[in-house]
Amino acid sequence: MNGKTATIESFKDFVTFIRAELKPKGRIFTIFNVISAPIILLGAILIVYRLAKGLGYPVTNLSQDFPWGIWIGFDVMTGVAFAGGAYVLTFVVYVLGAKKYHPIIRATVLNGFLAYVFYTGAIFLDCGRWWNIVNPIIGNKFGVNSVLFLVAWHFLLYMLTALVEFSPAIAEWLGWKKIRKILGSLTLGAVIFGITLSTLHQSGLGALVMMAKWKIHPLWYTEFIPVLFFISSIFAGLSMVIFEGTISHKVFSQQIDEEHHRSYDDILVGLGKICAVAMFGYFFLKVLVFIHGRHWSLINTPMGYWYLLELIGFVLIPCFIFVQGVKDRNLLSIRVAAILTMAGIIINRLNYVFIAYKWYVPMSERYFPTWIEIVITLAIVFAEIWVFRWIVNRMPVLKESPEWAREE
């Protein structure tokens, strides 16, 4: 299925084309739109309210005891892990040469890019003095001794790198043949640079929580947290690819050619296999850390039960379901395992930020997100989906590139 190729020869043509593309495509009053649009509008108003009023109550329930909440725990920590599918899949396709995954590479890179733009944007909301967020970039008190300095630069560079990786699709959408050729030649270099950055900042997020050694429950604290964050980002990202791809193949099925539809089952089985291997490695490392730490006495406690639920219920069991799903080529099992895995990653990251963090504080003094924090988080998620849908409906993401681009 060929995509529409624009003919843009002047600035006037460009403006006319963009105005035409901004018009809605498809039905406006869908269930998703009716639910998400009011939440996005309310979230935008609440973001302005938060920037004006600060981080105190009633905007958030953050405190000196719990300085990080759902915006860091879910939007940043979890969102970046879910975006890991982009660096894993580009490595598999462009470095290892596994071309069977190529049909989903653009959707995966786009999803990763938007996740970084929207979810890491939550850092902006979580900064008390949000106007200082550019300091690590412009050199006004670089803070080179801070892990956050490393994370800030990695996030910025990775967003730019992901944009370069996706930019050939933008050039094809606009019909810019010469620019498409130049951008296409940059892809491999951008992929290698992006993989390097991802390896560092996925583990860098783990390094951030290591500074709170005495505040994190011993069952979760280990000097291997950066390694665990990196490994878990592999199966977290690929589980998101399975989840997002399953929905995209139903919603945008008319854009996908028959060959792609037929090959998608093999792609899901392959992704499930990689997830199973990575999850087994993660589980094995967690067991080694547990035995080495001699934490047996902590298991028969409420936090010990919670730890076992996370490790067995959302790592080991999904791993076995992945294995069985791959063995039987059962796509439903693979999808169920992906959803369980994603739930486990959310629990794991929230544990490090405010559940297993200061676990000894009485329940009445613990952090629970306010309704404003929850609405803003939902608005960010829905806004990303709206932008993803807008781009997929216009650019060659799931549909084939124009013929002139395929001939290069």
Side-chain angles (χ1 to χ4, degrees):
M1 185 181 295
N2 293 333
K4 178 183 176 183
T5 301
T7 304
I8 300 174
E9 297 177 348
S10 64
F11 181 72
K12 184 180 178 182
D13 292 341
F14 177 78
V15 173
T16 303
F17 176 74
I18 295 298
R19 287 179 62 185
E21 291 291 81
L22 286 175
K23 294 178 181 176
K25 294 187 177 181
R27 291 189 300 130
I28 295 177
F29 293 102
T30 62
I31 295 176
F32 174 75
N33 288 353
V34 170
I35 294 174
S36 61
I39 294 176
I40 293 173
L41 288 175
L42 179 59
I45 295 169
L46 292 175
I47 286 173
V48 174
Y49 179 70
R50 172 268 169 269
L51 296 179
K53 291 293 184 180
L55 286 170
Y57 187 81
V59 177
T60 75
N61 269 333
L62 299 177
S63 63
Q64 293 296 329
D65 283 329
F66 293 93
W68 285 353
I70 192 172
W71 289 340
I72 295 295
F74 180 77
D75 295 9
V76 179
M77 292 283 191
T78 306
V80 169
F82 285 165
Y87 84 85
V88 176
L89 214 56
T90 52
F91 174 76
V92 171
V93 172
Y94 294 110
V95 178
L96 299 183
K99 298 299 181 186
K100 78 173 184 179
Y101 299 103
H102 197 271
I104 62 170
I105 195 69
R106 280 188 173 176
T108 304
V109 171
L110 173 62
N111 187 50
F113 169 67
L114 293 179
Y116 273 83
V117 171
F118 281 89
Y119 296 155
T120 60
I123 295 176
F124 174 75
L125 297 175
D126 211 67
C127 285
R129 298 177 181 178
W130 49 268
W131 53 88
N132 286 331
I133 196 169
V134 295
N135 281 355
I137 308 301
I138 65 174
N140 180 19
K141 297 179 182 177
F142 266 138
V144 292
N145 293 326
S146 169
V147 179
L148 271 176
F149 171 78
L150 176 76
V151 172
W153 267 97
H154 280 193
F155 279 7
L156 175 65
L157 292 175
Y158 186 74
M159 280 190 280
L160 296 174
T161 303
L163 181 59
V164 171
E165 292 175 17
F166 185 72
S167 59
I170 300 174
E172 292 170 13
W173 172 57
L174 295 170
W176 290 347
K177 298 180 181 179
K178 292 182 180 177
I179 294 177
R180 160 68 175 81
K181 194 171 184 178
I182 295 171
L183 293 173
S185 67
L186 299 176
T187 299
L188 183 58
V191 165
I192 294 172
F193 188 52
I195 293 168
T196 306
L197 287 172
S198 295
T199 304
L200 293 172
H201 69 243
Q202 292 285 357
S203 54
L205 285 175
L208 271 179
V209 300
M210 288 187 69
M211 292 184 290
K213 178 178 181 179
W214 306 111
K215 299 176 183 177
I216 296 176
H217 194 282
L219 286 172
W220 279 269
Y221 183 83
T222 165
E223 62 270 30
F224 295 104
I225 290 176
V227 179
L228 292 169
F229 266 51
F230 170 65
I231 297 175
S232 60
S233 74
I234 296 173
F235 56 79
L238 293 183
S239 293
M240 172 55 85
V241 172
I242 294 171
F243 179 73
E244 174 270 319
T246 299
I247 296 174
S248 292
H249 269 67
K250 292 187 181 298
V251 176
F252 306 109
S253 60
Q254 76 283 1
Q255 298 187 22
I256 303 169
D257 59 58
E258 285 301 319
E259 184 179 353
H260 185 176
H261 273 299
R262 285 195 299 272
S263 66
Y264 192 63
D265 291 359
D266 286 337
I267 290 174
L268 282 192
V269 172
L271 294 177
K273 192 181 298 180
I274 300 172
C275 282
V277 173
M279 292 179 83
F280 180 77
Y282 177 85
F283 179 80
F284 187 69
L285 181 57
K286 288 282 285 187
V287 171
L288 283 181
V289 169
F290 175 81
I291 295 173
H292 181 73
R294 300 176 181 176
H295 295 314
W296 297 101
S297 62
L298 298 174
I299 285 296
N300 193 23
T301 64
M303 290 304 291
Y305 303 148
W306 182 239
Y307 174 81
L308 290 176
L309 177 64
E310 179 196 319
L311 189 60
I312 297 176
F314 295 99
V315 177
L316 187 60
I317 291 178
C319 178
F320 280 128
I321 297 176
F322 269 128
V323 171
Q324 196 62 41
V326 169
K327 184 180 176 183
D328 299 339
R329 292 185 65 81
N330 186 328
L331 302 186
L332 178 61
S333 295
I334 292 174
R335 287 166 177 145
V336 169
I339 291 172
L340 286 174
T341 301
M342 291 169 62
I345 289 296
I346 294 171
I347 292 171
N348 176 261
R349 297 309 194 256
L350 295 186
N351 274 332
Y352 279 107
V353 174
F354 58 80
I355 298 177
Y357 179 88
K358 287 194 173 180
W359 75 100
Y360 45 80
V361 172
M363 190 62 72
S364 60
E365 299 174 18
R366 296 193 62 79
Y367 165 82
F368 293 95
T370 64
W371 70 271
I372 293 179
E373 292 178 83
I374 294 173
V375 169
I376 289 179
T377 295
L378 289 174
I380 291 171
V381 173
F382 285 141
E384 191 214 343
I385 295 173
W386 273 61
V387 174
F388 181 85
R389 181 179 61 180
W390 187 90
I391 293 174
V392 171
N393 276 329
R394 287 157 180 81
M395 301 183 193
V397 177
L398 294 174
K399 56 191 172 190
E400 280 193 7
S401 299
E403 190 172 346
W404 58 264
R406 282 179 278 146
E407 290 174 349
E408 287 183 356

